[in-house]
């Protein structure tokens, strides 16, 4: 799978591409990450990519032309404008996007985008209801969430019991040695060796944790049913 990332700050991605799961996935050929500096597509003096807002207003907007020209170099990709105004990204959407062979993520900066850029993309996408300086961090988050679903990136089945995967619930509590730490003990059922009881306990605990921390997920599941 190929990821194209349009950005004004290519160096942001140097560490991202050379560490942990992403680095291994690239080395094994499971994914490719192509960083595109769309400033290079500016036709203006000094490679300017932003300008003042028509109608007045604070800040500078990214111009449509440099981004359009950069997108023309990746014509066969699914194009996503990273924006706080977009569809909120989640694990279900990660699975949906993982079906594509090539995805392009456009990182914003400054005050925002010229609205006409929406004519050249497939959708806008947000990682949550808050504002960041630019779209680089959201692009990394979206890329990693999708990449780890591709075959070979993780050990087979590794992600299937994680939060949001098992019926949409949060992950169940997990423990490792020692079995007793300062009086805080590992639940007896996990030491029993009875896999049927362990499985049932994990299902119950996943539901309880989700109910405690994310009631909205329980409500959504109930509405869907």
């Amino acid at each position: 799978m190929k990821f194209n990332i349009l950005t004004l700050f290519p160096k942001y991605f140097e560490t991202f591409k050379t560490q942990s799961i992403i680095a291994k996935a690239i080395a094994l050929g499971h994914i490719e990450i192509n960083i595109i500096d769309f400033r290079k597509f500016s036709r203006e003096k000094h490679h300017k990519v932003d300008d003042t807002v028509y109608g007045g207003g604070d800040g500078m907007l990214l111009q449509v032309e440099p981004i359009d020209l950069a997108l023309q170099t990746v014509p066969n990709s699914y194009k996503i404008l990273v924006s706080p105004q977009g569809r909120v990204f989640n694990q279900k959407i990660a699975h949906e996007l993982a079906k594509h062979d090539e995805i392009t993520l456009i990182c914003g900066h400054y005050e925002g985008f010229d609205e006409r850029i929406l004519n050249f993309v497939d959708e806008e996408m947000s990682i949550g209801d808050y504002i960041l300086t630019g779209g680089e961090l959201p692009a990394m988050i979206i890329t990693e969430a999708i990449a780890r679903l591709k075959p070979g990136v993780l050990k087979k089945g590794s992600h299937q019991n994680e939060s949001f995967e098992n019926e949409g619930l949060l992950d169940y509590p997990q423990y490792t040695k020692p079995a007793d730490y300062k009086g805080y003990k590992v639940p007896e059922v996990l030491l029993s060796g009875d896999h049927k009881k362990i499985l049932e306990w994990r299902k119950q605990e996943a539901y309880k944790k989700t109910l405690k921390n994310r009631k909205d997920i329980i409500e959504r599941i109930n509405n869907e049913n």
Side-chain angles (χ1 to χ4, degrees), residues 76-202:
N76 299 319
S77 65
Y78 187 80
K79 302 169 184 66
I80 298 171
L81 183 65
V82 180
S83 161
Q85 301 171 31
R87 179 166 64 136
V88 179
F89 183 73
N90 58 30
Q91 192 68 9
K92 183 178 180 180
I93 295 172
H95 278 281
E96 175 188 318
L97 294 174
K99 297 174 183 177
H100 292 280
D101 294 324
E102 184 175 352
I103 289 175
T104 296
L105 297 160
I106 307 162
C107 305
H109 228 75
Y110 309 121
E111 185 63 23
F113 298 91
D114 184 312
E115 189 75 5
R116 291 170 292 182
I117 290 172
L118 295 177
N119 295 295
F120 304 97
V121 302
D122 295 292
E123 71 169 306
E124 289 181 272
M125 190 160 290
S126 167
I127 61 165
D129 297 338
Y130 48 88
I131 304 299
L132 299 174
T133 302
E136 283 74 21
L137 287 175
M140 291 180 198
I141 290 169
I142 294 170
T143 298
E144 181 170 332
I146 297 169
R148 65 199 309 280
L149 298 176
K150 301 302 291 183
V153 174
L154 298 179
K155 290 182 180 179
K156 188 175 182 180
S158 292
H159 65 79
Q160 292 178 356
N161 290 318
E162 295 177 329
S163 291
F164 312 114
E165 292 287 358
N166 185 13
E167 299 179 357
L169 300 175
L170 300 183
D171 199 4
Y172 49 77
Q174 299 190 74
Y175 303 85
T176 187
K177 298 177 181 179
D180 185 336
Y181 182 73
K182 295 185 177 181
Y184 296 101
K185 298 180 180 180
V186 173
E188 288 294 330
V189 65
L190 299 179
L191 307 176
S192 69
D194 188 327
H195 295 293
K196 185 176 180 180
K197 287 184 178 180
I198 290 172
L199 180 60
E200 185 59 33
W201 179 88
R202 285 174 169 171

Side-chain angles (χ1 to χ4, degrees), residues 28-46:
L28 292 171
H30 297 308
I31 66 169
E32 178 184 351
I33 297 180
N34 175 35
I35 306 300
I36 300 172
D37 182 355
F38 63 84
R39 188 183 299 278
K40 294 180 180 179
F41 292 85
S42 172
R43 290 173 172 170
E44 296 197 18
K45 187 177 181 180
H46 307 303

Side-chain angles (χ1 to χ4, degrees), residues 7-16 35 140:
T7 176
L8 296 174
F9 301 95
K11 289 186 178 181
Y12 275 9
F13 296 90
E14 290 180 357
T15 300
F16 178 68
I35 306 300
M140 291 180 198

